[in-house]
């Protein structure tokens, strides 16, 4: 009773809160809302929701509707409503309906006569609504009329069942409070969001843990198929999304390939998938290695990333790809999304299969993506860690090509945990949302404020010109003439001195904006010779960081005025920044580059390349001035040609390579901290050359290192290859690592330390891609936010709010639930049906080809068994001929899935392939069988003696058991009438027709079957 009362209270709160109705846009549904007239005292609780039947042609019922006069002062929780139904004979009945009653939480449908007799019966005479008809519902006590036009009602329930309460709902993230600065609030909550994600994954209290169990299971199954030689060559993991989600997935795919080289991972934009596979006339993906036949997606694992869960292209792909596979996962901001709703319908027979990873950040009104990027990157890091653990637990390192040590896993896990402290230092807020004092945050905001002065100098110069002109003209004392007059010049005389002073004043008026700009730069301490024009910002870093930062900053300035506009580009300084951007370098261009941590052996070359690109751009000078560059990284060294450098603290231990350099310099930590990337590159090259001097003597040692890495997974004697429990015992004993690689150096004493640093390459690369790059991304967010906030507040202050704008919004409104897509989705539904049908045909043809091959292998066995019982050998040949003709007849209509299933059911056991028959029985409406049936069609069962099936097969179990065979007459009778004896549910006999040409690919098995029948 207490639970019911609590539940009733929750229902009441939900009914008075905001609700959401998700339309079925794929199957076709339109919602029209008429707000109507409101009256005082109308109950605002969700009310009547029964459909209005405007006509019923099938029964001739005339239907009208009216509202019962109810005293508003005594209105109960249930709003009454009635519908009059009149049949052809004139007899009228009244359908009285009450809305939800919160005390009983039930809807009463009653039928009573016109005399209002208190007799209630179940409504049975009202016809069902035609799917093509519109349905009208009344909400909020009659305030709102909702008309739904639906094309397909098969999957849709009643309106109240479809309402999603947005408050007091445990599976819906609450709406964020309204704040004056949504972008700043998102950035401040990044440490809190990351801590929540990590905590839930560690404690196992999140749905992500369950979803990860299913994903790990699917990955392990595909790896075991590779191990057993049953893999069909299809893509193991397909990653798709749009914009920032796609860029995050591309980096995740790179990391997966780094750790598991043998897993076939593909990444593609959802727009490309939709354009090629979801259109009646496909859009050719010119310039990309992707076409209709390039990838095999049969039973592939698909991961879709979409923060809103309703982005158009990923949403359409979540339906489209169901024709290829059921193993589809989504990463979104919460559990309750449009894509999540589509994927929940994949669960067969009501079995619970979790397909949704949630970042938990919920709806974010700000269009510049910050917290959604950081949270999704964090979830992908957690997935990578769990896959690394799963592969080792399942002993699948060899088949996956697992190129990582156990040490690499523990180091990434520790770096991931410590990363939150570094993020707190960058944003200036802790994981509880409290503001903290932070040198990194203050420095980043200072650089953003400094660059905001560059952007604002144009309107500030206008204001200075306005003040100067007004002051001199109104007062009648221009600057030079006024000073000359103060010095005794008589302005009333037309002398040359007066004309000269007036000419100088004219020049001042003409170039007043330039003079004001120079004066402003001089006062603010900025470079004087920058171009006096709009600013351009180029962001350089690894692809996902630079692209996400570009999207963030450009959206901040999307609604800004032209006088304070900022053009934003992104590029990769390790690749094409020099080729794409250096020819655009002018005085005053802004260049912000992220530098990898070159203090690490595996990243020194990467930082050196970035520094070279920055130096090349900064060396292009005019009038002694060039672009203004800013670098962000963990290395303290500042480039001589860069204007600014922000050092991120990082919060990590040293690696073995850093410890070796420190030792070589007498234990001086500054030897590693204050060196450029070029100097560090030379330092590490010397270490390699020092180890390479004895290369001809340590060849066996090098092979031993390879064995050391391989055996590290299972039977190594070193502590680094053992479980986490042993590492914990070492730490409890006071033998914890002071630097990463200390265990490696301590226990692998036979290997030179200069060679051991190469064993940490994977760990260093994962640190850069999963940890350090995220810190630089958040740093770009903080700097860009301060830059945009200063510009936004300027217009509010100088215009007293009249010229204010919201930098969290753009004109395109790209964060709505149905993001615009360049690819049409009008053909998605039809294409989904066509692809599902084509998949069923391919599976059926594969099953039948395997069936025919097995039949040929059993022919000799049939003849031998028949001879053992003294039968005429002609009978042994006649039986398979009859069955083969039956198969050939039913092959003529293979495109009908029911006929295909019947063929497999009838003849799978007859020809000695009970596995095929059982798989045919498990085919569902999408053409998929059980999860383990993927390779059965390509690898038919071995030609062993067929197993008997009760009442179906006349064949013996084995040649050694002749006593089990039936008498010849009975056997012949069952053989001739075997197909007819099999039940065919809901399928009419199909006349023989020639096979369609497209169904004869490859034609050789069918032709070979005909030849074998003729020979028999």
């Amino acid at each position: 009773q207490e639970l019911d009362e609590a539940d009733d209270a929750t229902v009441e709160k939900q009914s008075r809160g905001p609700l959401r109705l998700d339309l079925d846009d794929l199957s076709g549904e339109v919602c029209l809302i008429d707000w109507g007239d409101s009256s005082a005292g109308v109950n605002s609780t969700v009310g009547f929701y029964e459909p209005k039947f405007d006509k019923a042609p099938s029964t001739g019922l005339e239907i009208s509707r009216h509202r019962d006069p109810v005293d508003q002062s005594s209105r109960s929780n249930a709003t009454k409503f009635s519908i009059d139904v009149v049949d052809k004979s004139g007899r009228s009945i009244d359908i009285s309906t009450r809305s939800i009653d919160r005390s009983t939480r039930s809807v009463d449908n009653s039928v009573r006569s016109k005399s209002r007799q208190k007799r209630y019966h179940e409504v049975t005479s009202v016809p069902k609504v035609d799917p093509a008809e519109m349905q009208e519902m009344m909400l909020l006590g009659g305030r709102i009329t909702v008309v739904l036009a639906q094309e397909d009602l098969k999957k849709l329930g009643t309106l109240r069942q479809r309402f999603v309460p947005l408050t007091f709902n445990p599976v819906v993230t609450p709406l964020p409070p309204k704040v004056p600065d949504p972008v700043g609030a998102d950035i401040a909550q990044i440490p809190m969001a990351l801590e929540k994600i990590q905590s839930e994954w560690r404690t196992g209290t999140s749905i992500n843990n369950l979803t990860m169990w299913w994903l790990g299971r699917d990955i392990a199954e595909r790896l075991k198929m590779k191990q057993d030689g049953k893999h069909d060559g299809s893509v193991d993991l397909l990653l798709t999304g749009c914009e920032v989600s796609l860029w995050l997935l591309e980096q995740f795919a790179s990391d997966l390939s780094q750790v598991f080289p043998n897993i076939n991972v593909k990444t593609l934009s959802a727009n490309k998938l939709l354009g090629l596979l979801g259109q009646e006339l496909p859009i050719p993906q010119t310039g990309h290695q992707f076409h209709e036949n390039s990838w095999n997606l049969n039973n592939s694992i698909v991961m879709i990333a979409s923060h809103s869960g309703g982005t158009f292209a990923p949403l359409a792909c979540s339906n489209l790809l169901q024709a290829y596979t059921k193993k589809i996962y989504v990463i979104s901001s919460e559990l309750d999304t449009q894509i999540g709703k589509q994927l929940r319908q994949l669960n067969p027979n009501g079995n619970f299969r979790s397909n949704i990873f949630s970042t938990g950040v919920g709806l974010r009104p700000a269009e510049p993506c910050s917290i959604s990027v950081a949270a999704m990157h964090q979830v992908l890091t957690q997935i990578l860690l769990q896959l690394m653990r799963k592969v080792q637990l399942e002993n699948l390192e060899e088949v996956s090509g697992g190129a990582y040590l156990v040490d690499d896993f523990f180091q990434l896990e520790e770096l991931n945990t410590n990363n939150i402290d570094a993020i707190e230092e960058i944003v200036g807020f802790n994981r509880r949302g409290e503001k903290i004092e932070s040198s990194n945050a203050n420095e980043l905001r200072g650089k953003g404020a400094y660059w905001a002065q560059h952007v604002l100098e144009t309107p500030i110069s206008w204001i200075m010109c306005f003040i100067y002109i007004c002051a001199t003209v109104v007062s009648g004392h221009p600057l030079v003439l006024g000073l000359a007059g103060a010095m005794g010049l008589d302005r009333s005389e037309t002398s040359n001195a007066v004309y000269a002073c007036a000419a100088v004043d004219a020049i001042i008026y003409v170039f007043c904006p330039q003079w004001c700009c120079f004066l402003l730069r001089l006062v603010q301490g900025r470079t004087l010779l920058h171009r006096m024009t709009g600013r351009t910002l180029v962001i350089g870093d690894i692809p996902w960081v630079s692209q996400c930062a570009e999207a963030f900053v450009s959206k901040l300035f999307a609604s800004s005025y032209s006088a304070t506009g900022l053009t934003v580009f992104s590029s990769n300084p390790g690749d094409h920044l020099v080729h794409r951007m250096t020819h655009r370098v002018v005085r005053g261009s802004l260049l912000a580059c992220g530098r990898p941590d070159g203090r690490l052996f595996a990243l020194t070359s990467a930082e050196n390349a970035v520094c070279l690109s920055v130096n090349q751009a900064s060396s292009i000078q005019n009038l002694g001035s060039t672009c203004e560059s800013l670098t962000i990284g963990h290395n303290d060294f500042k480039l001589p040609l860069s204007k600014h450098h922000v050092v991120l603290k990082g919060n990590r231990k040293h690696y073995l390579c850093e410890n070796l350099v420190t030792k070589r310099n007498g234990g001086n930590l500054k030897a590693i901290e204050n060196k450029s990337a070029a100097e560090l590159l030379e330092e590490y090259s010397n270490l390699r050359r020092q180890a390479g001097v004895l290369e001809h003597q340590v060849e066996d040692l090098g092979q031993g290192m390879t064995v050391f890495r391989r055996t590290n997974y299972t039977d190594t004697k070193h502590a680094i290859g053992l479980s986490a429990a042993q590492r914990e015992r070492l730490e409890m004993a006071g033998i914890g690592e002071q630097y990463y690689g200390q265990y490696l150096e301590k226990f692998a004493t036979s290997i030179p330390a200069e060679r051991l640093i190469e064993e940490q390459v994977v760990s260093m690369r994962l640190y850069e891609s999963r940890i350090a790059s995220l810190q630089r991304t958040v740093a770009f967010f903080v700097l860009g936010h301060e830059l945009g906030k200063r510009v936004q507040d300027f217009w509010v202050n100088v215009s007293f709010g009249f010229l204010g704008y919201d930098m969290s919004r753009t004109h395109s409104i790209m964060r709505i639930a149905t993001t615009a897509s360049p690819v049409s989705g009008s053909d998605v539904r039809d294409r989904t049906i066509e692809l599902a049908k084509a998949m069923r045909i391919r599976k059926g043809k594969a099953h039948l080809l395997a069936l025919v091959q097995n039949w040929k292998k059993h022919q000799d066995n049939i003849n031998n068994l028949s001879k053992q019982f003294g039968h005429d050998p002609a009978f042994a040949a006649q039986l398979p001929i009859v069955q083969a003709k039956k198969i050939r007849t039913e092959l003529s209509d293979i495109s009908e899935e029911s006929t295909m299933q019947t063929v497999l059911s009838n003849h799978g056991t007859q020809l000695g392939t009970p596995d095929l028959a059982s798989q045919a029985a498990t085919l569902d409406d999408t053409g998929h069988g059980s999860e383990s049936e993927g390779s059965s069609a390509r690898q038919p069962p071995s030609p062993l003696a067929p197993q008997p099936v009760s009442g179906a097969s006349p064949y013996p179990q084995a040649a050694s058991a002749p006593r089990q065979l039936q008498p010849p007459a009975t056997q012949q009778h069952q053989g001739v009438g075997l197909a007819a004896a099999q039940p065919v549910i809901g399928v009419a006999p199909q006349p023989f027709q020639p096979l369609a040409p497209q169904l004869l690919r490859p034609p050789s098995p069918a032709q070979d079957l005909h030849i074998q029948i003729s020979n028999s």
Side-chain angles (χ1 to χ4, degrees):
Q1 183 178 358
E2 292 178 357
L3 291 176
D4 290 340
E5 291 176 357
D7 198 13
D8 290 339
T10 302
V11 171
E12 182 174 357
K13 292 178 181 178
Q14 290 179 348
S15 65
R16 294 186 178 275
L19 302 176
R20 189 186 74 235
L21 174 63
D22 294 327
L23 298 180
D24 190 1
D25 51 354
L26 182 70
S27 298
E29 184 174 19
V30 178
C31 178
L32 306 177
I33 300 179
D34 180 11
W35 292 98
D37 298 328
S38 60
S39 59
V42 176
N43 192 353
S44 61
T45 306
V46 175
F48 176 73
Y49 59 89
E50 293 293 331
K52 172 186 176 182
F53 306 101
D54 293 327
K55 59 182 179 178
S58 59
T59 60
L61 295 179
E62 298 179 1
I63 304 173
S64 61
R65 184 189 62 185
H66 68 271
R67 179 177 296 282
D68 288 341
V70 181
D71 187 4
Q72 298 290 344
S73 61
S74 61
R75 179 181 292 273
S76 64
N77 291 333
T79 302
K80 294 183 179 180
F81 202 88
S82 61
I83 300 177
D84 290 343
V85 181
V86 181
D87 60 11
K88 290 182 178 180
S89 64
R91 184 177 63 87
S92 63
I93 59 175
D94 178 44
I95 304 176
S96 179
T97 306
R98 288 207 313 269
S99 68
I100 186 79
D101 190 336
R102 292 189 298 272
S103 61
T104 60
R105 290 187 294 133
S106 63
V107 178
D108 298 333
N109 293 326
S110 59
V111 178
R112 53 183 174 173
S113 65
K114 268 295 184 180
S115 60
R116 307 293 188 188
Q117 295 178 356
K118 301 299 182 179
R119 294 182 300 177
Y120 296 90
H121 306 281
E122 183 181 1
V123 177
T124 57
S125 60
V126 179
K128 293 184 178 179
V129 182
D130 185 6
E133 297 294 331
M134 292 188 178
Q135 300 187 38
E136 181 177 320
M137 295 84 172
M138 304 295 296
L139 305 177
L140 299 181
R143 277 185 171 183
I144 301 177
T145 302
V146 176
V147 179
L148 291 178
Q150 303 167 346
E151 295 184 23
D152 186 4
L153 298 179
K154 295 180 180 179
K155 299 186 296 183
L156 306 178
T158 62
L159 181 61
R160 182 164 183 83
Q161 292 174 338
R162 296 177 58 193
F163 273 135
V164 179
L166 300 182
T167 56
F168 303 98
N169 192 335
V171 297
V172 177
T173 306
L175 298 175
K178 186 176 181 180
V179 294
D181 183 14
V183 179
D186 286 352
I187 294 175
Q189 293 176 12
I190 289 178
M192 183 189 303
L194 301 187
E195 169 64 24
K196 180 182 178 183
I197 293 172
Q198 290 191 16
S199 175
E200 290 178 346
W201 279 75
R202 283 194 303 265
T203 59
T205 58
S206 171
I207 193 68
N208 292 335
N209 299 92
L210 181 60
T211 308
M212 186 63 232
W213 185 90
W214 283 101
L215 177 61
R217 176 175 176 267
D218 291 340
I219 292 288
E221 283 184 355
R222 295 193 66 87
L223 289 176
K224 290 176 181 177
M225 290 170 59
K226 288 178 180 283
Q227 201 172 46
D228 299 337
K230 298 180 180 180
H231 198 278
D232 59 354
S234 59
V235 174
D236 292 322
L237 181 60
L238 174 64
L239 307 174
T240 185
C242 289
E243 205 205 14
V244 294
S245 301
L246 176 65
W247 303 329
L248 290 169
L249 289 178
E250 288 174 344
Q251 182 59 57
F252 179 66
S254 173
D255 296 334
L256 275 180
S257 299
Q258 173 75 49
V259 177
F260 306 113
N262 294 344
I263 295 181
N264 186 8
V265 184
K266 300 293 184 182
T267 309
L268 193 68
S269 167
N271 290 320
K272 290 185 175 65
L273 276 174
L274 184 60
L276 189 64
L277 303 180
Q279 307 296 307
E280 184 176 1
L281 298 177
I283 301 176
Q285 301 306 313
T286 307
H288 299 274
Q289 294 180 337
F290 177 64
H291 52 82
E292 293 90 335
N293 301 318
S294 57
W295 296 345
N296 180 4
L297 301 179
N298 182 31
N299 285 331
S300 297
I301 303 170
V302 178
M303 184 178 292
I304 303 172
S306 171
H307 168 75
S308 66
T311 309
F312 181 81
L315 175 60
C317 287
S318 69
N319 291 278
L320 186 67
L321 294 175
Q322 292 181 27
Y324 295 94
T325 179
K326 287 187 175 181
K327 301 171 183 177
I328 305 177
Y329 298 86
V330 64
I331 306 175
S332 57
S333 60
E334 54 183 319
L335 299 177
D336 177 58
T337 62
Q338 286 288 84
I339 299 180
K341 181 184 69 174
Q342 298 293 338
L343 298 186
R344 283 192 290 271
Q345 299 174 5
L346 289 176
N347 300 330
N349 303 323
N351 297 328
F352 182 75
R353 176 188 173 97
S354 181
N355 299 78
I356 305 171
F357 290 102
S358 171
T359 63
V361 298
L363 175 65
R364 294 289 165 171
E367 293 186 49
C369 304
S370 56
I371 188 173
S372 59
V373 172
M376 187 171 293
H377 184 82
Q378 181 65 58
V379 170
L380 291 172
T381 301
Q382 301 295 145
I383 293 175
L384 178 63
L385 283 168
Q386 294 301 319
L387 287 178
M388 293 171 70
R389 185 193 300 271
K390 176 70 174 178
V391 167
Q392 288 199 357
L393 292 177
E394 297 285 342
N395 294 323
L396 297 172
E397 299 89 355
E398 293 295 329
V399 66
S400 67
Y404 63 98
L405 294 169
V406 177
D407 241 17
D408 300 336
F409 169 79
F410 286 112
Q411 288 165 10
L412 179 60
E413 191 174 46
E414 183 176 336
L415 289 167
N416 181 47
T417 303
N418 298 336
N419 185 37
I420 299 179
D421 295 330
I423 297 296
E424 290 178 339
E425 181 70 21
I426 294 172
V427 302
F429 288 84
N430 61 22
R431 64 198 72 192
R432 295 182 296 276
E434 302 167 347
K435 187 175 179 59
I436 59 176
E437 188 62 31
S438 166
S439 59
N440 268 165
N442 294 337
E443 187 176 8
L444 287 167
R445 293 192 177 98
K447 302 302 181 184
Y450 181 81
W451 275 7
Q453 295 175 355
H454 291 329
V455 179
L456 291 172
E457 69 178 6
T458 298
I460 293 177
S461 299
W462 288 356
I463 295 174
M464 294 173 65
C465 293
F466 172 80
I467 295 174
Y468 174 78
I469 294 173
C470 289
T472 56
V473 173
V474 172
S475 66
H477 296 285
L479 179 63
V480 177
L481 276 176
L483 292 176
M487 297 174 63
L489 178 65
D490 187 3
R491 297 173 56 185
S492 61
E493 297 181 0
T494 57
S495 61
N496 293 333
V498 173
Y499 286 124
C501 291
V504 175
D505 281 327
I507 294 175
I508 292 177
Y509 280 123
V510 170
F511 295 100
C512 185
Q514 283 75 18
W515 304 125
C516 291
C517 191
F518 273 116
L519 179 61
L520 181 63
R521 292 177 180 178
L522 186 63
V523 172
Q524 293 177 344
R526 297 184 291 117
T527 305
L528 295 178
L529 296 180
H530 282 182
R531 282 190 177 184
M532 298 177 186
T533 183
R535 298 284 178 159
T536 298
L537 172 62
V538 178
I539 301 175
D541 210 309
I542 61 176
W544 84 267
V545 176
S546 60
Q547 292 171 354
C548 289
E550 178 203 356
F552 177 81
V553 178
S554 62
K555 288 179 181 179
L556 290 177
F557 284 87
S559 300
S560 180
Y561 297 97
S562 60
T564 54
L566 181 66
T567 305
V568 187
F569 297 98
S570 66
S571 189
N572 184 358
D575 184 9
H576 46 66
L577 185 144
V578 172
H579 305 286
R580 291 181 55 192
M581 298 298 168
T582 52
H583 66 279
R584 309 184 192 192
V585 172
V586 296
R587 290 177 286 113
S589 298
L590 305 178
L591 174 62
C593 277
R595 289 164 47 184
D597 194 349
R599 298 170 299 174
L600 301 183
F601 170 79
L603 306 178
T604 306
S605 297
E607 186 187 15
N608 190 53
V610 173
C611 294
L612 182 60
S613 297
V614 174
N615 287 335
Q616 286 181 309
S618 301
S619 63
I620 301 174
Q621 299 186 6
N622 183 24
L623 300 178
S625 182
T626 181
C627 66
E628 187 170 313
S629 58
L630 177 147
T631 56
I632 298 176
H634 298 82
N635 192 348
D636 291 355
F637 183 81
K638 179 181 176 298
L639 296 177
L641 295 181
S642 65
K643 178 76 172 179
H644 314 279
H645 179 53
V646 179
V647 182
L648 305 179
K649 294 184 178 180
N651 191 36
R652 67 164 175 84
K653 298 176 183 178
H654 280 182
Y655 273 84
L656 176 59
C657 58
E658 298 171 290
N659 188 65
L660 289 177
V661 173
T662 302
K663 288 180 179 179
R664 285 171 60 90
N665 289 272
N668 184 12
L669 292 177
K670 293 184 178 180
I672 192 69
E673 299 295 339
N674 294 328
K675 285 193 174 183
S676 67
E679 293 174 324
L680 290 171
L681 188 62
E682 181 65 25
E683 191 79 34
Y684 289 132
S685 297
N686 292 334
L687 289 177
R688 287 176 58 88
R689 284 193 294 267
Q690 180 180 353
V693 172
L694 303 176
E695 186 172 358
H696 64 285
Q697 301 178 9
V698 294
E699 290 180 359
D700 295 337
L701 190 58
Q703 294 175 2
M705 274 202 307
T706 303
V707 174
F708 171 77
R709 174 178 287 278
R710 297 290 181 136
T711 58
N712 192 26
Y713 300 119
T714 54
D715 59 349
T716 179
K717 303 298 189 296
H718 304 311
I720 57 173
L722 298 182
S723 64
Q726 183 158 354
R727 291 178 60 93
E728 292 177 1
R729 288 196 296 271
L730 288 172
E731 303 224 355
M732 292 176 61
I735 320 179
E737 281 189 315
Q738 302 301 316
Y739 54 89
Y740 295 134
Q742 186 175 7
Y743 287 163
L744 193 66
E745 186 179 25
K746 180 178 179 62
F747 294 102
T749 56
S750 61
I751 303 175
E754 292 79 9
R755 289 293 186 89
L756 284 179
I757 61 176
E758 298 183 7
E759 297 298 315
Q760 292 186 306
V761 167
V762 173
S763 176
M764 297 175 191
R765 290 177 179 175
L766 292 178
Y767 161 73
E768 160 62 17
S769 61
R770 308 310 311 172
I771 309 301
S773 60
L774 176 60
Q775 295 175 11
R776 296 198 302 272
T777 304
V778 176
F780 281 124
F781 291 161
V782 174
L783 186 148
H785 169 257
E786 187 66 23
L787 171 59
K789 186 75 164 52
R790 292 292 182 112
V791 176
Q792 173 194 258
D793 293 345
F794 168 82
W795 290 106
V796 175
N797 296 331
V798 299
S799 65
F800 302 99
F802 180 74
L803 297 179
Y805 66 92
D806 186 1
M807 69 176 181
S808 68
R809 311 295 291 171
T810 69
H811 300 305
S812 61
I813 317 177
M814 292 295 286
R815 289 302 291 274
I816 59 176
T818 54
T819 306
S821 172
V823 182
S824 171
S826 59
D827 297 332
V828 171
R829 179 176 50 173
D830 295 335
R831 286 292 297 160
T832 301
I833 297 174
E834 292 176 7
L835 290 172
K837 184 176 181 180
M839 178 64 68
R840 290 193 294 270
I841 293 175
R842 285 195 298 269
K843 283 179 173 289
K845 289 174 65 177
H847 282 301
L848 290 173
L849 290 177
L851 182 145
V852 171
Q853 292 174 2
N854 206 21
W855 168 77
K856 292 163 62 178
K857 294 176 182 178
H858 283 77
Q859 264 190 325
D860 293 337
N861 190 22
I862 295 170
N863 293 330
N864 295 334
L865 292 174
S866 299
K867 291 178 181 179
Q868 290 182 7
F869 288 89
H871 301 153
D872 185 1
F875 165 75
Q878 184 67 24
L879 180 60
I881 293 174
V882 174
Q883 295 172 353
K885 287 182 178 179
K886 181 66 176 177
I887 295 173
R888 186 165 177 265
T889 300
E890 295 183 343
L891 271 172
S892 62
D893 199 19
I894 192 173
S895 61
E896 294 294 332
E897 56 185 277
S898 56
T899 303
M900 183 193 310
Q901 183 168 343
T902 304
V903 172
L904 297 175
S905 301
N906 287 350
H907 302 288
T909 49
Q910 292 176 30
L911 299 187
T913 55
D915 291 341
L916 296 181
S918 63
Q919 290 167 10
T922 62
L923 288 175
D924 57 16
D925 56 351
T926 61
H928 299 292
S930 61
E931 294 189 7
S932 61
E933 52 97 15
S935 61
S936 59
R938 291 168 296 280
Q939 304 230 351
S942 59
L944 300 175
Q947 301 294 328
V949 178
S950 177
S953 176
Y955 300 145
Q957 181 176 0
S960 59
R963 303 295 184 190
Q964 298 179 4
L965 287 178
Q966 298 179 0
T970 305
Q971 187 178 20
Q972 184 176 5
H973 172 74
Q974 289 187 356
V976 174
L978 184 60
Q982 297 290 332
V984 181
I985 301 176
V987 180
Q990 300 292 333
F992 172 76
Q993 297 176 356
L995 288 175
Q998 63 270 24
L999 299 179
L1000 293 176
R1001 299 177 181 175
S1004 54
Q1007 295 174 358
D1008 189 35
L1009 170 63
H1010 181 70
I1011 294 173
Q1012 293 293 334
I1013 292 175
S1014 301
N1015 293 340
S1016 300

